[in-house]
Amino acid sequence: MPDRSGDPGTRYHLIRYVGLAGAVALAVAAGLGGALPDPPAAGWAVFTSGTGVLSVVAWAAGTGAMVWAWWSARHGVPSVRWASTTVGLWVVPLLVAPPLGSRDVYSYACQGWILRDGGDPYSGVAGQGCPWVDAVAPLWRDTPAPYGPLFVWLAGLAVAVGAGLAGTLLVLRLTAVAGLVLMAVALPGLAARCGLPAGRALWLTVGCPMVLIHLVSGAHNDALMVGLLVAALWVIAAGSARRPAVAAVVGGLLLGLAVAVKATALVVVPFAAILAVAGPRRPAALVRAGALVVAGVVGAVAATTALSGLGLGWVAGLTHSGDSRQWTSPPTAVGLLIDYLARLVGVRLDAVGAVRVVGLVLLAGFLVWLWWRVWRGGGPLAGWRGPDGRAVPVAEPANPPATWDRGTVVFGAGLALAATVLAAPVVYPWYLSWPLALLAVAAYRTGWFLLPVAVAGFLVLPDGSGVAALTKAPGTVAMCALIVVLVVRVVRSARRSAAS
């Protein structure tokens, strides 16, 4: 028989079906020991609980197979159609299986139930009569919902349509799938305007195992937020040359809807204002475009707040996002290490809170600097996202003089989201989906952000138990060592750039 190991068609068939086998294995893991509302029978718990032998083996094998398949095609896929078909096949087993990797969907369900019952979902779910409260992770039962009015209203709609826990979970999962579909529709167009292959951008984002495991199977609302965010930037980029005012307003409305799901989307608004500028790079043009984008954002948030009947309680809920302490957050890891070292000399400290504040201050300064660099024309960012230090040309007619590469603006927005994740008081794997979508459409070099995403797929067990919680001390030391290595590399790179 002829050797067909080098046949691209054979290789992509292998990628597709190895990934599908992984998705099936993950569906088995979800059935055996996923985030189920009721624990397994005591006699079988050692085998089928979230940390049981059978469920963990199925989870590890499935995650490994999907990560291998995704990573193998990271440099490109045959076509957008191939990527869409493959992802569609991978989604099916995860769509019909129980939730995997998180119990947050039960929090969503209870928040929706409380809203439908006339209560206040921004006061926590405990003690408000939700029949499914025992399925909510204990840490979050007394925590106010940190989600915007649009998503809480959608959760209430899911409860009304679902007519029971199983139906509610299904509607919430379909809401997440709608966000994934929105990404799949918008990503190719946005990638084309950033000068990068549409199929690759689609594959890196919606084909990512971390996205499919946590945003589809786990039904996290991040899927809807990212879908709206990508769609907003696509509308602005596509319309800025023809109908810039309309594109800015519509894009702002979509961004506002994303903010009304999760407030994180606010980080992208200043970059969307730059993207909406039509013509030469002038302050007056930025003010006009920015005003239209902001008007759309404010209008969408105000409208969803009024129509849902909810107030601004979700803003207060944001302050409770750091109730969990895990080394996956760099500021938290540094604070934990300081506490550990202090205990060695007999001193008890609680440095985590102070280091988190320092991290947020540094984040604010970095975001201002990054936005300024993008506004001034990208500087080193334009070269960083291009091959051999050259910016990638956009796939459309040349921009007017004194304007910039759209890809650099989107790349800057992706870096802003990545910095927001790194500086957050708590980092869960699905948070990496925020920058992933934008970096996939704008970054030429990908390994530096794809590798952490691949690793993140292994950080949560089937029932939502965090590997980070099980490896608190060694993980803290490893994260701090990684921070030191990265800081040294950045300083050396900055010195080389200054000397050249």
Side-chain angles (χ1 to χ4, degrees), residues 75-251:
H75 294 307
V77 294
S79 65
V80 169
R81 181 177 180 182
W82 182 90
S84 301
T85 302
T86 301
V87 173
L89 288 173
W90 292 5
V91 163
V92 172
L94 300 175
L95 193 60
V96 299
L100 186 67
S102 173
R103 309 192 73 83
D104 284 2
V105 68
Y106 299 108
S107 295
Y108 303 161
C110 273
Q111 289 157 10
W113 187 93
I114 291 168
L115 177 65
R116 298 291 302 179
D117 193 52
D120 180 12
Y122 294 136
S123 298
V125 299
Q128 298 208 56
C130 175
W132 315 310
V133 70
D134 289 341
V136 178
L139 178 64
W140 306 119
R141 292 176 188 172
D142 294 310
T143 303
Y147 312 119
L150 174 60
F151 181 74
V152 175
W153 180 82
L154 289 173
L157 181 63
V159 172
V161 174
L165 180 58
T168 299
L169 298 184
L170 177 60
V171 176
L172 287 169
R173 182 172 283 173
L174 291 177
T175 302
V177 171
L180 197 73
V181 170
L182 196 54
M183 288 185 230
V185 171
L187 280 167
L190 183 59
R193 283 164 176 81
C194 292
L196 289 177
R200 191 197 72 154
L202 187 67
W203 177 254
L204 294 182
T205 303
V206 301
C208 176
M210 182 272 298
V211 169
L212 298 177
I213 292 170
H214 292 294
L215 301 195
V216 174
S217 181
H220 280 102
N221 54 15
D222 304 72
L224 186 59
M225 182 199 75
V226 175
L228 289 165
L229 191 155
V230 173
L233 296 182
W234 176 41
V235 167
I236 293 172
S240 60
R242 297 180 181 178
R243 296 184 177 179
V246 174
V249 173
V250 174

Side-chain angles (χ1 to χ4, degrees), residues 33 62 71 115 135 154 253 260 303 318 334 350 352 356 378 389 445 455-456 461 484 497:
W71 186 266
L115 177 65
L154 289 173
L253 288 170
L318 296 174
V334 172
D350 186 5
V352 173
R356 284 175 169 177
R445 301 177 181 90
V455 172
L461 295 175
V484 171
S497 299

Side-chain angles (χ1 to χ4, degrees), residues 54-474:
L54 296 180
S55 56
V56 170
V57 168
W59 162 80
T63 303
M66 291 192 74
V67 168
W68 176 87
W70 174 68
W71 186 266
S72 297
R74 68 189 183 281
H75 294 307
V77 294
S79 65
V80 169
R81 181 177 180 182
W82 182 90
S84 301
T85 302
T86 301
V87 173
L89 288 173
W90 292 5
V91 163
V92 172
L94 300 175
L95 193 60
V96 299
L100 186 67
S102 173
R103 309 192 73 83
D104 284 2
V105 68
Y106 299 108
S107 295
Y108 303 161
C110 273
Q111 289 157 10
W113 187 93
I114 291 168
L115 177 65
R116 298 291 302 179
D117 193 52
D120 180 12
Y122 294 136
S123 298
V125 299
Q128 298 208 56
C130 175
W132 315 310
V133 70
D134 289 341
V136 178
L139 178 64
W140 306 119
R141 292 176 188 172
D142 294 310
T143 303
Y147 312 119
L150 174 60
F151 181 74
V152 175
W153 180 82
L154 289 173
L157 181 63
V159 172
V161 174
L165 180 58
T168 299
L169 298 184
L170 177 60
V171 176
L172 287 169
R173 182 172 283 173
L174 291 177
T175 302
V177 171
L180 197 73
V181 170
L182 196 54
M183 288 185 230
V185 171
L187 280 167
L190 183 59
R193 283 164 176 81
C194 292
L196 289 177
R200 191 197 72 154
L202 187 67
W203 177 254
L204 294 182
T205 303
V206 301
C208 176
M210 182 272 298
V211 169
L212 298 177
I213 292 170
H214 292 294
L215 301 195
V216 174
S217 181
H220 280 102
N221 54 15
D222 304 72
L224 186 59
M225 182 199 75
V226 175
L228 289 165
L229 191 155
V230 173
L233 296 182
W234 176 41
V235 167
I236 293 172
S240 60
R242 297 180 181 178
R243 296 184 177 179
V246 174
V249 173
V250 174
L253 288 170
L254 290 171
L255 266 178
L257 293 178
V259 172
V261 174
K262 294 192 82 165
T264 312
L266 280 171
V267 173
V268 177
V269 173
F271 298 90
I274 297 177
L275 196 64
V277 174
R281 195 167 58 234
R282 296 193 181 100
L286 175 64
V287 171
R288 288 193 298 271
L292 293 173
V293 171
V294 171
V297 171
V298 173
V301 173
T304 52
T305 299
L307 292 174
S308 66
L310 295 165
L312 298 177
W314 59 290
V315 178
L318 296 174
T319 62
H320 292 269
S321 61
D323 288 354
S324 174
R325 294 187 172 191
Q326 297 186 10
W327 59 260
T328 49
S329 161
T332 300
V334 172
L336 289 173
L337 182 62
I338 293 173
D339 290 347
Y340 293 156
L341 294 176
R343 289 176 190 173
L344 292 178
V345 296
V347 178
R348 300 192 69 85
L349 294 177
D350 186 5
V352 173
V355 177
R356 284 175 169 177
V357 171
V358 172
L360 293 176
V361 171
L362 292 175
L363 172 64
F366 175 78
L367 292 179
V368 172
W369 174 85
L370 180 62
W371 181 86
W372 179 252
R373 295 301 300 174
V374 171
W375 166 247
R376 297 297 296 171
L381 300 183
W384 193 15
R385 67 171 292 269
D388 302 323
R390 297 189 301 272
V392 180
V394 294
E396 58 181 43
N399 290 327
T403 61
W404 52 88
D405 175 17
R406 287 188 179 92
T408 300
V409 182
V410 177
F411 182 68
L415 287 181
L417 284 173
T420 302
V421 172
L422 291 177
V426 61
V427 177
Y428 294 109
W430 48 92
Y431 288 8
L432 299 182
S433 65
W434 308 344
L436 174 64
L438 300 189
L439 295 175
V441 302
Y444 181 84
R445 301 177 181 90
T446 58
W448 61 275
F449 69 88
L450 293 186
L451 183 59
V453 170
V455 172
F458 295 92
L459 291 181
V460 181
L461 295 175
D463 65 348
S465 300
V467 174
L470 303 175
T471 58
K472 196 166 185 177

